[in-house]
Amino acid sequence: MQSLILSNFIIDEQCQQLIEMGRPQVSPSRGFNVGDGTESYSKHRTSEHTFLPKGANDLVTIVEELVARQTGFPLENQEGIQIAHYVPGQHFKPHMDTFDPRYPGANVTLARGGQRVATLMIYLNTIPEGYGGETYFDKAGISVKPDMGKACLWYNLLPNRSIDWSTQHEGRTPIA
C-alpha cells in the first residue's frame, strides 16, 4: 500500500470552518451497491455525510488546490469534498474506494467518472487515543488515528492501474 501521512495539512480554523459548513447538511450515509450501481442505506455504513460543491467558497477552493498540489492530479479530476460525521456506535465497515469492474454496478460509475486513483482524507477533529474512530486498513495492518488537520493520502491503484486490494479500509466506531 502506497500511503503518506501529512501532519497539519490544514490548520485548526479551517477544520472548524469545514465542520460548520457541513453540519447543517449532513444526512444518513448511503452505501454503493456493486450489483446495480445504486446507493442505499445499509448497516455497512451508518455514519452521516454530505458533499460540498466544488469551488463552493474560498476555503473549499483552497483545500481543493492543496489536494491537487499534494496528489499531482488536476482540480477537474477531483470529486467534491465529502464531510463524514460519526457518533458513538456509527461505523463504515471494510470497503474499497475503487470500483471493481467485475461488478455491473461499478461499470456505470467507471463510465461516468473513471476510477478513483487516490484518496486523501483530512481529519477535522482529534479523537483521544483509545477512543476509536481510526481509519483501519485491515489488509495492510495500518491504523490511522484522527488528529485535527492531519491528512492520510493513499493510492487505490497500483502503477499498472490494477486495484490495490491492500487499501481496503474501515471507519472504526468512536466510543466518545
Side-chain angles (χ1 to χ4, degrees), residues 72-108:
F73 296 117
L75 290 170
E76 58 268 17
N77 290 32
Q78 292 181 26
E79 295 178 25
I81 294 172
Q82 181 179 171
I83 306 274
H85 179 244
Y86 295 80
V87 297
Q90 291 182 331
H91 59 264
F92 195 169
K93 295 289 185 186
H95 64 282
M96 301 289 292
D97 285 355
T98 52
F99 300 99
D100 188 341
R102 296 177 297 177
Y103 296 99
N107 291 311
V108 172

Side-chain angles (χ1 to χ4, degrees), residues 33-141:
N33 182 324
V34 296
D36 63 12
T38 61
E39 293 184 356
S40 61
Y41 301 108
S42 78
K43 293 181 181 178
H44 192 78
R45 185 179 191 186
T46 59
S47 60
E48 299 175 319
H49 82 278
T50 190
F51 282 93
L52 301 178
K54 289 177 76 170
N57 61 32
D58 289 345
L59 175 59
V60 169
T61 300
I62 287 167
V63 173
E64 290 168 342
E65 289 171 351
L66 286 170
V67 171
R69 276 197 297 269
Q70 186 60 53
T71 63
F73 296 117
L75 290 170
E76 58 268 17
N77 290 32
Q78 292 181 26
E79 295 178 25
I81 294 172
Q82 181 179 171
I83 306 274
H85 179 244
Y86 295 80
V87 297
Q90 291 182 331
H91 59 264
F92 195 169
K93 295 289 185 186
H95 64 282
M96 301 289 292
D97 285 355
T98 52
F99 300 99
D100 188 341
R102 296 177 297 177
Y103 296 99
N107 291 311
V108 172
T109 301
L110 290 169
R112 183 180 64 231
Q115 191 59 275
R116 286 180 175 158
V117 176
T119 299
L120 192 141
M121 183 180 301
I122 305 169
Y123 298 93
L124 300 180
N125 58 14
T126 298
I127 298 180
E129 193 71 43
Y131 281 81
E134 305 89 1
T135 303
Y136 180 64
F137 297 86
D138 59 322
K139 296 185 183 313

Side-chain angles (χ1 to χ4, degrees), residues 6-19 59-60 62-67 69 81 83 120-125 147-152:
L6 305 157
S7 298
N8 303 311
F9 185 70
I10 61 175
I11 62 173
D12 293 359
E13 292 114 33
Q14 292 169 320
C15 292
Q16 195 57 47
Q17 288 173 358
L18 288 169
I19 290 170
L59 175 59
V60 169
I62 287 167
V63 173
E64 290 168 342
E65 289 171 351
L66 286 170
V67 171
R69 276 197 297 269
I81 294 172
I83 306 274
L120 192 141
M121 183 180 301
I122 305 169
Y123 298 93
L124 300 180
N125 58 14
D147 290 310
M148 184 179 280
K150 176 170 72 177
C152 179

